[in-house]
Amino acid sequence: GAVVSQHPSWVICKSGTSVKIECRSLDFQATTMFWYRQFPKQSLMLMATSNEGSKATYEQGVEKDKFLINHASLTLSTLTVTSAHPEDSSFYICSASGGNYGYTFGSGTRLTVV
Amino acid sequence: AQSVTQLDSHVSVSEGTPVLLRCNYSSSYSPSLFWYVQHPNKGLQLLLKYTSAATLVKGINGFEAEFKKSETSFHLTKPSAHMSDAAEYFCVVSVGATGGTSYGKLTFGQGTILTVHP
């Protein structure tokens, strides 16, 4: 079946630094990638949708300059949290879709900003 | 607009007893509906999906769900709970995306935490 690899699984960074999270589709071409954020004991909230080769579409309230999304190839999308602050600490999950594969989720990244 | 309501934030069952996780949806169009399971600090695993075919959908690990349009419901059931079923479950709705080349946004329910007692 379809596999999506997300790295790193957890990261701790200092306030003011940037962190990049990678999402790779290992055995299919992901024409669309979704990035979600999940706060403790809450549901997943869609941050943005990206189609390969196009600019990402951000959900209302999500700062595009803070959460940079790149989807340069059919197998890789990255989310960069710029100038991270403690309130950005959260669980980030990607989802890849393409071909006959539905929505395949990565294993998530736990970001802690100190 | 589409939305999903999971009627129970927590469900507790004994091992070997039936599981019922309730989900109601709202959608202006014919929806695709999914159930996902999430173990702590993990990604989401698809249990099953409904995409306008059979209304009774069978998934992995013995789970199944029935799409009832008249009740706008998509409840998840399992005849006999196992300890390994303890996790958080999400009911999800999507409009206009059933695979292929078009993928619509997913809207997640609030989640139901399933606890299984020995």
Side-chain angles (χ1 to χ4, degrees), chain A residues 41-110:
Chain A
K41 301 187 186 302
Q42 294 189 25
S43 189
L44 278 74
M45 299 299 295
L46 180 66
M47 299 174 67
T49 304
S50 72
N51 292 302
E52 184 266 338
S54 303
K55 288 185 177 180
T57 301
Y58 290 80
E59 294 299 299
Q60 191 172 9
V62 178
E63 299 176 61
K64 61 180 66 177
D65 293 332
K66 181 168 190 60
F67 298 100
L68 302 179
I69 292 172
N70 184 280
H71 191 173
S73 78
L74 285 171
T75 59
L76 174 65
S77 176
T78 60
L79 166 67
T80 301
V81 183
T82 63
S83 187
H85 291 285
E87 56 266 29
D88 299 324
S89 299
S90 189
F91 193 60
Y92 293 88
I93 305 177
C94 68
S95 171
S97 300
N100 290 322
Y101 297 100
Y103 303 86
T104 304
F105 287 82
S107 54
T109 298
R110 171 73 59 194

Side-chain angles (χ1 to χ4, degrees), chain A residues 6 11 28 33 37 48 62 66 75 91 98 111:
Chain A
Q6 185 173 343
V11 58
F28 69 101
M33 293 271 199
R37 185 172 182 177
V62 178
K66 181 168 190 60
T75 59
F91 193 60
L111 171 63

Side-chain angles (χ1 to χ4, degrees), chain B residues 25-52:
Chain B
Y25 70 92
S26 173
S27 174
S28 302
Y29 304 96
S30 296
S32 293
L33 292 159
F34 310 77
W35 274 100
Y36 284 89
V37 61
Q38 183 181 34
H39 291 275
N41 293 312
K42 299 293 184 183
L44 279 74
Q45 180 183 21
L46 179 66
L47 287 177
L48 49 82
K49 62 181 177 182
Y50 165 78
T51 56
S52 74

Side-chain angles (χ1 to χ4, degrees), chain B:
Chain B
Q2 58 197 38
S3 65
V4 175
T5 301
Q6 291 182 242
L7 302 173
D8 307 290
S9 58
H10 289 82
V11 170
S12 181
V13 301
S14 296
E15 190 175 22
T17 64
V19 175
L20 170 63
L21 305 183
R22 299 183 295 166
C23 172
N24 285 104
Y25 70 92
S26 173
S27 174
S28 302
Y29 304 96
S30 296
S32 293
L33 292 159
F34 310 77
W35 274 100
Y36 284 89
V37 61
Q38 183 181 34
H39 291 275
N41 293 312
K42 299 293 184 183
L44 279 74
Q45 180 183 21
L46 179 66
L47 287 177
L48 49 82
K49 62 181 177 182
Y50 165 78
T51 56
S52 74
T55 56
L56 181 62
V57 183
K58 293 187 183 299
I60 62 172
N61 301 336
F63 285 96
E64 63 181 38
E66 185 172 8
F67 174 72
K68 292 187 177 180
K69 187 175 181 179
S70 61
E71 300 177 8
T72 61
S73 69
F74 190 58
H75 301 335
L76 181 71
T77 61
K78 183 174 180 177
S80 176
H82 294 163
M83 296 296 291
S84 60
D85 294 328
E88 187 162 19
Y89 292 78
F90 291 97
C91 182
V92 183
V93 64
S94 173
V95 173
T98 59
T101 59
S102 176
Y103 296 93
K105 297 178 184 178
L106 299 181
T107 299
F108 284 75
Q110 301 90 329
T112 299
I113 296 174
L114 175 65
T115 302
V116 182
H117 298 287

